[in-house]
Structure formats: C-alpha cells, structure tokens
Amino acid sequence: MLEQTRASWSSCVFFYISVHVVASAHRDLRACEETDYFYQYTECDSTGSRWRVAIPIRPASCSDLPPPTRGTDCSFSCPAGMYLEMSTQQCTPCAAGSYSLGSGLRFDQWDAIPAGFTSMASFLDTSPSGEVMQTCNSSSWTPQGVYLESNRDECTVSLVYVVHLEKQGSVLFTYQYPDNNIFFEFYVQNEQCQEMVQSDDQKWIKVTNNGEWDTHTVNLKTGTNILYWRTTGILVGEKRVKPVLLKNIQIEGVAYTSECFPCRPGWFNKAPGSSSCQPCPSNTYSMKEASSCTPCPQNHYSHEGWAECRVRPPCSEKDYFQIHTACDSEGKTQVLHRWVEPKICIENITGAVELPATGQREPCPPCNPGYYNSNDSTCLPCPSGSHSDGTYVCKQCPAGTEPVLGYEYKWWNVLPANMKTSCFNVGNSNCDDMNGWEVAGDHIRSGAGSSDNDYLILSLHVPGFKVPASLSGMTGGEFGRITFEFETLCSSDCEFYFMMDVNHKSTTVVESWEGSKVKQSYSHVMTKNASVTYTWAFQRTNHAEDLRRFVSDMVKVYSISVTNVMDGVASACRACALIPHNSLQAGSSCVPCPAGYYIDRDTNQCLECPPNTYLAGRHTYGKDTCVACGPGSMSNKEHFRCFSDCFFTHTENNRTLIFDFSAMSNVASLTIGPSFTSKGTKYLHLFNISLCGNEGRRAAVCTDNVTDVSNKDSQSDSSQFISSVDSFICQSTIIPADGRGFRMAISSQSISLADTFIGATVDTVFNGVNAKPDLFPENIRDVPDINFYYRSTQATSSCEKGRSSVIIVRCNPEKSERGELSVPSSCPAGTCDGCTFHFLWESSGACPRCTEEDYHHIEGVCKGGTQEIIYMWNEPKVCIKGVSLPSRGSAHCEAITLWLKVGVGGGAFVAVLLISLTCYFWKKNKRLEYKYSRLVMSANKECELPAADSCALDEGEEQEDDVVYAKKPTLLGKLRSIANKQMDGESSESVQLNSSQSDHWVLG
C-alpha cells in the first residue's frame, strides 16, 4: 500500500514538472502567424457537426494557435468554381489559372497517375506442373498525357481509388472501349471490401464505336467507397487487344474542397471562378497555372495543349500528299499536292523541298456501274428499273428480267454520297476536320492525317437488304455480301480494320490485318436483314510521337461491292421467273420462286430442284444451279443446304454395311485444355459439334457472353449478329471463373468452323480436304472409319480459302453410343495449321447395323431324335442394333450320325466297285485262255512251235471251244499282262508264250 502511494505521488510530481516545462517552453516561443498553420475539420459527430482546428505546419515552432471553433455543417459544400476558405469558412472564387468542382473531384491530367490512385496487377495461375508462370508485375494502367491507357496483354489489372463521401454522390468517367476482346468492368466496394449492389447496366461497360468516347455514371453512397476499373485481355491468339482509355474521372459528393486545382502546363483559364481549363491553341504555349497562352517565337510551332514550342523543320516529301480534283465541266481532272495540316515545316530554307507542280489535266475515269454521266460531267444514279455499266446511258431492263441492285465502286474520282471519311485521334483533335481518305482515280487511299497514330476512317452506310425475286428460291441465310479489294504498304506496325455497326448499336471488328499485305480481296456475308454501316480504319502506328515518320505508309482500297442493297443501283439485269401463261395474271412481270426452286431457261418458270440437290452460287437461272449433294448427304426441303440424315451405307468385299448415327445426332461438346498464354492466363478451347440430323439445321451454337454483358439489348438485331454463332462446328475460347478471379466464366472469340457439309465417305481425301487419319491411333477393327467433311467459306487473314474440318467417326464397341470426342495429340488445339481442324469421334453408335453374317450357330448332341441349336455373335462383335440374335432352337435328328452314314455308304460303294472289277477281269481272263489254247493246238498240228513269241486274235473273234489248262497262270500274272497291254498301246490282245521245254500243256 505504501509502495502504491509513493508511485502515485511520483507520477503527480512528474506530470507537474512536465506541464511546467512545456509552459515555460511556450512562453519562450514566438506567436504563430497565419503561415505557420493550416485549418482542418475534425470528423463529423453523430449530430452532423464538426470543429475547425488549427494544425501547425511544424510542431513546436510557434505558440498561441487559434482556438478550435465550430465548423460548417458536414453536408455543406461550395458550388463549382469556388473553394471553401478555411480562415473565414466562406466560399471563395478560384483565381484565374485554376479551377474547382466545388463538392467534387476531377482527374483529367494523365502525365502521371494522380495521387490516391493505385494500379494493381493480379498474380497469375500456376501451370499444371506447379511452376509459377510469367507474372504480370509489368502490366498496369499507363498515363498518356490526356488519357489513361489500360494494359494490352492478358493480365488482369485494376485501377483503384478510395474516396470518402459525406453525402450521397456519384462517379462519372469518360472512356473508350473499342475492342470486346478485352473484359472491362467497373464496380464499387465499401470499407469492408464488400461489393456494393449494382445493376448490370452500372457494372458492365458498353462497347464504343472505334474512336468514339462515351460516359458512364454510377451512384455512390455516403461513407467510404472503393472504386475499381478492371480490365483483362481475353485474346489468346497472336493479335493484341485494343486498350481501354479513360479520359476524365469526376467524383461528386465530397463535403468540401479547401483549394483550387491549378491548370496544367499547356492549358489556361483566364476567368476567375471557373470549373475547368482549356488547352492552348496551336502555335502557343503556357506554363502551369496560366491565365493566358504565350505565342511561339518565329520559326517555332506547337500543337494544341503543348507546354513548349519547337523549331520548325525544313519541308520534306513527308510533309505533303497527293489528291485528285473532281471532274470539271469538260470531264477533266488533275493531280494536286497539298501540305499536311497543320503545316509545321518551312519551305524557304536550305534543304527544304517545294510543293510539286500541279499535274496535267486528264480525262476523268468513267462512272461507277449503275451510274451515268450527266451533261455537267457528274455521275448520277440510274433510275429505278434501268441499268448501266458506267460507260453508257441507262437502259431499261428487258421484259422477263429485273435489275441487279447493289453498290459497285471501282472508280474513285469523287467520294460517293453514301460514304464518309474522317480522322480521329484520342489525344489530338487536330485531325478532326481532316479527310481521313483521299480519292485517287482507280483507288481510294488513306490520307495524311495530323500524326502517325491517327485513325483514318472510311465508312459506307447500307440502309438494308432486299433479296430480288430471281434469288427468292435461295433461303440459305445470305441477304447480302460485301467484297472489297485492298493492299497495305507499311514500314511500321500499321493496322487495318474492317468493322460493321448493325442498326447503330455497336461497332464490331470483323477482321483486321497487320503490316504490309499484298493486293487481295475479302468478302463478308450478311445473314440478317438490317441497316448496317461498314467502316474501314487505318492506323500507321499505335505509338504516339511528335515527329512524323510513317507518312508514306498507306492502305489502298481498289473496289467495294455490296449485293442486294435496298434502293441500290443496277449495273446489269438478271432473268427472273414469270407468271405462267395459262394464269389469269399472265404477263412479263417478275414473280418470286418458292424456296428451293430454280428458273427454267426455256420457259422462265419456277421448277423445283431435283431431290438431294441444293442451289449453289448466287443465281437461280437454269437447272445447273441445282448442284448435287456430296456422298452420304441429302438436301433439306428448301434445297439450300446439304446435311447427313445420320444414315450411311458402305459396300466392300461383297458385303454392305449400314450405319445409323442417330445416337450421335445431338450436339456434342469437347473442351480442350487448360492452356496458358505467355502471361499465364488460363484458357480452354470449347468445340460444339452437330454431326447429323436436326433436319439440316446447324444446331451447334457458340455464344460470346462478353458481348452479351456489353450489349444489354439482347433482343436487338445487333446482339444477334455478334453474340452467337450457329454452325455444324463452332469454337469458343473460355476463360474459367477461377482463372482470373472472375465471378463467371468468360466465353469469347466464337467462330464457325463448318458452315457447309461437303459429304461423308471412307476416302481420306475429299474435295481438297485431307482427313489425315495418321494423326490419330490406328483403327484396329474390321470396320472402316467414316470421314465427315465440312467447310467454312468465310475467309480470314490467315485462311484465304476459309476453314475446313474433318470428323473421323470410328466404331468402338467399348464406348457408349454417345461416344467420346478427341483431337490429335500432336495438335492439341484441334488444328495443326490454323485452317483445317481434325476430330476423332469413337462410339459404339458408329458401328454398323448387325446382319445375319454377324452371328453363327452351334448344334448340340442329338438326343432322342432332337438336337439343340444355339446362336452366337462373331467375336469381336462390331455391330449394333439391326437384326437380333435368334433365340435358341431345336431340330429333328437321327441316331446314326451323318459321318457314319457317309462311311457306310462309301464302303458299300467300294465293295460293289471291287466286285464289278473282279467280274470284268475274270471274263477277260477266260477269253485270253481260250485264244491261247487255240494257238497251242494249231502249233501241235504243224509239229512245231509258232515262230512268234506271242499270239493274238482280232477283237470281236468268238470263242469256239473250251480250253482246259494243265497249269493255270496266277491272278497277279493276269493283271500284270493286262497292264503291259495298256502300256504298249496295241489294239489287239497278246499273251507271252512259255518255252515248250519248260512248260507242258495238256489238252483234254
């Protein structure tokens, strides 16, 4: 107790001494001035009140700070252009050269990532072997001066900003999101890192047209809000994604701002109380917090928003470009040269080039097909129902024909009225009023622009499509087709894009090309009838540079043609079907043919195509337009597509095999992977396959859900165009939900691999497509593989003739009827060259139907005149369905077996044969004995032996007397003599005589 009392007394003494020392020190410090401290509000209490306190800039540097005073209400804020002066707690206008949003924050200067923002890259997955793959530490949002650029790779990068709001507010940002091959989402979390409730429209960012900016607004709640802008490149091929750009971020709802933001260098604000700054015009500059811009010195220049001026260089060939003038009243045109605007070079110094002289006047090129040359040398469209190839006046289509409507541009003296050209740069507005493309006689080419990273844009608007009466029999889904011929001439990393915007919803990149490309053509089929704007965009380089280095890089488009255009012009006429003569409405007007009908050349009447043929090409005139389907296929009712009805017949070695693939008719899916990109993004390849059946409908559908979340109007034609692909075989790239931290799997890059079914055959090469069975394990069964051949006619930059696919269907009794799909082990993505895809489908359903030749029977032992018969399948069994195995049966039988019957019968036959031979030889022997005895008697009468060693009588001589031998020859001797006779080949019979001295004959 005493120790506690002493400790308490010691503490009190120490506290008293400390206070006394501090008070003494304060008496020694000078009084604080206004420059020694700043004011700050305390946190708001439960009543919404707060206090203003003075905070010294340097602690213990002065004394007598102003006492705390009650501050403004927590919800108080100043209007835009003003700030809260803390000394008076009154709103004060911002000075010239600065700005304020009042109760908001604005970030529009991106020379560096502003304070408070953080760019975070996600760590990547590990490979299946457990090794950590290349990280994304180098991936981030990159400041580009007037905008912030997202990553271009497959990494997931988040831009994070934390803001505390004293009242409900909002965040608004201006963005550009041109490529749906990057996943872009915006979401908000609270201070517990719980995601705030947001609608889909708030969370998913809509794709913008190429070069256009859009705004996105999300409401924020009171308290701490953590804002996330997150991007992930989902392109796993060779091409890079186009990044997301953020230009302006504005946050409303902060309680107050105690200072104004200075205008950045190159920008100015001359009026006090402003809420924004403006860029300095060209050829002027400014420093930070400027209220005006300063003109550049002589022979110096600057672009808009520059903070400094630069020396003008001497003019060179890169500073001008060539154009063609429009046709004059005499039908002449000439070549002109113009300086690239804004002109920054000087002509009148050493080493500078001058603008080339104007070219000679030359005749204008002819009008484009469907147009005619008017009296004032302008080209006008032909009236409805007429046609022209551009070199003659318009003519009416003859009776029984109709005009072929469309657009066909191959002469470029002036830009057609339905085409527009523009220039766009995300960080430079100087090219906004420039022509992005220039006409050049036989082609149209990209213009100069104002910088090398400008987007030079050419667009063509098509109001819609209308299938003509002469093509009404074709219902294959082609409403129109655009074809253009082009080439690119580049010395840098130029890119050329072909895009389309359906019903003014969203521009989608259809195809793109990088670097120099030789002259080639590209076609794209429209499968929906809708208004569409086609766009071509050319960018010399995606790197922003002040100097022009690639002005000579360009793209040339030689021709553009669009078929079946509503309200188009006609360059020719096409024969059409007429009303039958025996009809009450007979005449010369065209009538549409039903689906699957062609126009007979002789009668101009509609006739149905023969069975198992389809309408090929782009016309229906003549029976030859009905092309026979390939082997193992049949046509649908409308005769626009061939398909397999799941039945196939093959004959070999006098045996007919019948296959029924009905069990494999439903759409099958095959997922390959996982694979990893160089940055470690895990992705899968998903294939959907419709082998046969479905009445010819292409039942395999691949959906792009990135487009789905970017275009919420899922019922619109636009989403139908770009969000899904229907085909016999289609492919999607899948990024699993666990691969990049997504809350759902991402499906993108859906493409069709098989629009057309070519045929099914056992041949390994068909119609130019090689099945390459050596890519798969060898077929060990005595059932041939059936190869299903497909083709997609849509050309790509890497597959000029389109893609093709082969499905090898193999009988495997060990698999289920649905079977199992696989791809070659040497080509894990299903293709070895990127253009031909190979699949193996092993299934018991791919085995032929069973016949009587596929089983045998076994007979049991005969018991009581009855034996059992059992039927067994031949092993190994390689058939299904068909005939059933007969049940066990019985048959009548006998006790004596067949082999015994055969043995007895054979023995009886041999016995009869031996008896017959014995009788025959006995008779022959008798005749010989008689003849011999006569010979001996004749010799005795002459008292001498015959001179010959043998005697014989002619055949047929009758025996007259019986002869009795004293010594009879043996049977073996007789047979031997007969054999000798046959070997000698004589026609008479003979017998060898014995010597009279050794044998004695007795007659009697």
Side-chain angles (χ1 to χ4, degrees), residues 117-128:
F117 282 88
T118 304
S119 180
M120 300 188 306
S122 300
F123 290 101
L124 302 184
D125 309 299
T126 56
S127 65

PDB file of all heavy atoms in Angstrom, residues 117-128:
ATOM      1  N   PHE A 117      -4.576   7.166 -56.564  1.00  0.00           N
ATOM      2  CA  PHE A 117      -4.871   6.054 -57.470  1.00  0.00           C
ATOM      3  C   PHE A 117      -3.796   4.987 -57.342  1.00  0.00           C
ATOM      4  O   PHE A 117      -2.614   5.287 -57.147  1.00  0.00           O
ATOM      5  CB  PHE A 117      -4.942   6.531 -58.924  1.00  0.00           C
ATOM      6  CG  PHE A 117      -6.227   7.222 -59.281  1.00  0.00           C
ATOM      7  CD1 PHE A 117      -6.372   8.587 -59.085  1.00  0.00           C
ATOM      8  CD2 PHE A 117      -7.294   6.508 -59.798  1.00  0.00           C
ATOM      9  CE1 PHE A 117      -7.550   9.234 -59.410  1.00  0.00           C
ATOM     10  CE2 PHE A 117      -8.475   7.141 -60.123  1.00  0.00           C
ATOM     11  CZ  PHE A 117      -8.610   8.507 -59.931  1.00  0.00           C
ATOM     12  N   THR A 118      -4.216   3.747 -57.503  1.00  0.00           N
ATOM     13  CA  THR A 118      -3.294   2.609 -57.458  1.00  0.00           C
ATOM     14  C   THR A 118      -3.607   1.676 -58.612  1.00  0.00           C
ATOM     15  O   THR A 118      -4.777   1.366 -58.865  1.00  0.00           O
ATOM     16  CB  THR A 118      -3.412   1.847 -56.132  1.00  0.00           C
ATOM     17  OG1 THR A 118      -3.206   2.743 -55.042  1.00  0.00           O
ATOM     18  CG2 THR A 118      -2.401   0.714 -56.068  1.00  0.00           C
ATOM     19  N   SER A 119      -2.574   1.243 -59.316  1.00  0.00           N
ATOM     20  CA  SER A 119      -2.731   0.264 -60.384  1.00  0.00           C
ATOM     21  C   SER A 119      -2.182  -1.060 -59.896  1.00  0.00           C
ATOM     22  O   SER A 119      -0.998  -1.170 -59.553  1.00  0.00           O
ATOM     23  CB  SER A 119      -1.986   0.718 -61.647  1.00  0.00           C
ATOM     24  OG  SER A 119      -2.129  -0.227 -62.684  1.00  0.00           O
ATOM     25  N   MET A 120      -3.056  -2.069 -59.827  1.00  0.00           N
ATOM     26  CA  MET A 120      -2.673  -3.373 -59.288  1.00  0.00           C
ATOM     27  C   MET A 120      -2.876  -4.452 -60.341  1.00  0.00           C
ATOM     28  O   MET A 120      -3.943  -4.527 -60.956  1.00  0.00           O
ATOM     29  CB  MET A 120      -3.505  -3.711 -58.049  1.00  0.00           C
ATOM     30  CG  MET A 120      -3.363  -2.726 -56.910  1.00  0.00           C
ATOM     31  SD  MET A 120      -4.195  -3.297 -55.403  1.00  0.00           S
ATOM     32  CE  MET A 120      -5.838  -3.611 -56.028  1.00  0.00           C
ATOM     33  N   ALA A 121      -1.854  -5.258 -60.550  1.00  0.00           N
ATOM     34  CA  ALA A 121      -1.926  -6.403 -61.464  1.00  0.00           C
ATOM     35  C   ALA A 121      -2.086  -7.674 -60.660  1.00  0.00           C
ATOM     36  O   ALA A 121      -1.421  -7.868 -59.635  1.00  0.00           O
ATOM     37  CB  ALA A 121      -0.677  -6.481 -62.332  1.00  0.00           C
ATOM     38  N   SER A 122      -2.992  -8.535 -61.113  1.00  0.00           N
ATOM     39  CA  SER A 122      -3.244  -9.778 -60.390  1.00  0.00           C
ATOM     40  C   SER A 122      -2.111 -10.754 -60.630  1.00  0.00           C
ATOM     41  O   SER A 122      -1.533 -10.817 -61.720  1.00  0.00           O
ATOM     42  CB  SER A 122      -4.571 -10.400 -60.857  1.00  0.00           C
ATOM     43  OG  SER A 122      -5.636  -9.522 -60.629  1.00  0.00           O
ATOM     44  N   PHE A 123      -1.774 -11.538 -59.595  1.00  0.00           N
ATOM     45  CA  PHE A 123      -0.833 -12.627 -59.782  1.00  0.00           C
ATOM     46  C   PHE A 123      -1.502 -13.743 -60.545  1.00  0.00           C
ATOM     47  O   PHE A 123      -2.719 -13.925 -60.477  1.00  0.00           O
ATOM     48  CB  PHE A 123      -0.308 -13.118 -58.439  1.00  0.00           C
ATOM     49  CG  PHE A 123       0.601 -12.128 -57.774  1.00  0.00           C
ATOM     50  CD1 PHE A 123       0.133 -11.329 -56.749  1.00  0.00           C
ATOM     51  CD2 PHE A 123       1.909 -11.984 -58.188  1.00  0.00           C
ATOM     52  CE1 PHE A 123       0.958 -10.409 -56.132  1.00  0.00           C
ATOM     53  CE2 PHE A 123       2.740 -11.062 -57.578  1.00  0.00           C
ATOM     54  CZ  PHE A 123       2.268 -10.273 -56.557  1.00  0.00           C
ATOM     55  N   LEU A 124      -0.688 -14.473 -61.255  1.00  0.00           N
ATOM     56  CA  LEU A 124      -1.238 -15.425 -62.202  1.00  0.00           C
ATOM     57  C   LEU A 124      -1.314 -16.820 -61.629  1.00  0.00           C
ATOM     58  O   LEU A 124      -0.830 -17.110 -60.546  1.00  0.00           O
ATOM     59  CB  LEU A 124      -0.381 -15.424 -63.471  1.00  0.00           C
ATOM     60  CG  LEU A 124      -0.291 -14.056 -64.141  1.00  0.00           C
ATOM     61  CD1 LEU A 124       0.476 -14.159 -65.427  1.00  0.00           C
ATOM     62  CD2 LEU A 124      -1.669 -13.509 -64.388  1.00  0.00           C
ATOM     63  N   ASP A 125      -1.952 -17.669 -62.421  1.00  0.00           N
ATOM     64  CA  ASP A 125      -2.108 -19.067 -62.035  1.00  0.00           C
ATOM     65  C   ASP A 125      -0.779 -19.802 -62.180  1.00  0.00           C
ATOM     66  O   ASP A 125       0.152 -19.345 -62.834  1.00  0.00           O
ATOM     67  CB  ASP A 125      -3.150 -19.747 -62.918  1.00  0.00           C
ATOM     68  CG  ASP A 125      -4.441 -18.946 -62.954  1.00  0.00           C
ATOM     69  OD1 ASP A 125      -5.031 -18.778 -61.887  1.00  0.00           O
ATOM     70  OD2 ASP A 125      -4.822 -18.493 -64.037  1.00  0.00           O
ATOM     71  N   THR A 126      -0.716 -20.961 -61.595  1.00  0.00           N
ATOM     72  CA  THR A 126       0.414 -21.841 -61.803  1.00  0.00           C
ATOM     73  C   THR A 126       0.072 -22.844 -62.870  1.00  0.00           C
ATOM     74  O   THR A 126      -1.086 -23.194 -63.072  1.00  0.00           O
ATOM     75  CB  THR A 126       0.780 -22.575 -60.504  1.00  0.00           C
ATOM     76  OG1 THR A 126      -0.376 -23.264 -60.040  1.00  0.00           O
ATOM     77  CG2 THR A 126       1.228 -21.582 -59.438  1.00  0.00           C
ATOM     78  N   SER A 127       1.074 -23.295 -63.570  1.00  0.00           N
ATOM     79  CA  SER A 127       0.861 -24.268 -64.625  1.00  0.00           C
ATOM     80  C   SER A 127       0.517 -25.609 -64.002  1.00  0.00           C
ATOM     81  O   SER A 127       0.694 -25.817 -62.804  1.00  0.00           O
ATOM     82  CB  SER A 127       2.133 -24.382 -65.471  1.00  0.00           C
ATOM     83  OG  SER A 127       3.194 -24.899 -64.687  1.00  0.00           O
ATOM     84  N   PRO A 128       0.020 -26.563 -64.824  1.00  0.00           N
ATOM     85  CA  PRO A 128      -0.316 -27.890 -64.258  1.00  0.00           C
ATOM     86  C   PRO A 128       0.854 -28.570 -63.582  1.00  0.00           C
ATOM     87  O   PRO A 128       0.665 -29.382 -62.678  1.00  0.00           O
ATOM     88  CB  PRO A 128      -0.800 -28.666 -65.490  1.00  0.00           C
ATOM     89  CG  PRO A 128      -1.295 -27.601 -66.433  1.00  0.00           C
ATOM     90  CD  PRO A 128      -0.398 -26.421 -66.221  1.00  0.00           C
TER      91      PRO A 128
END
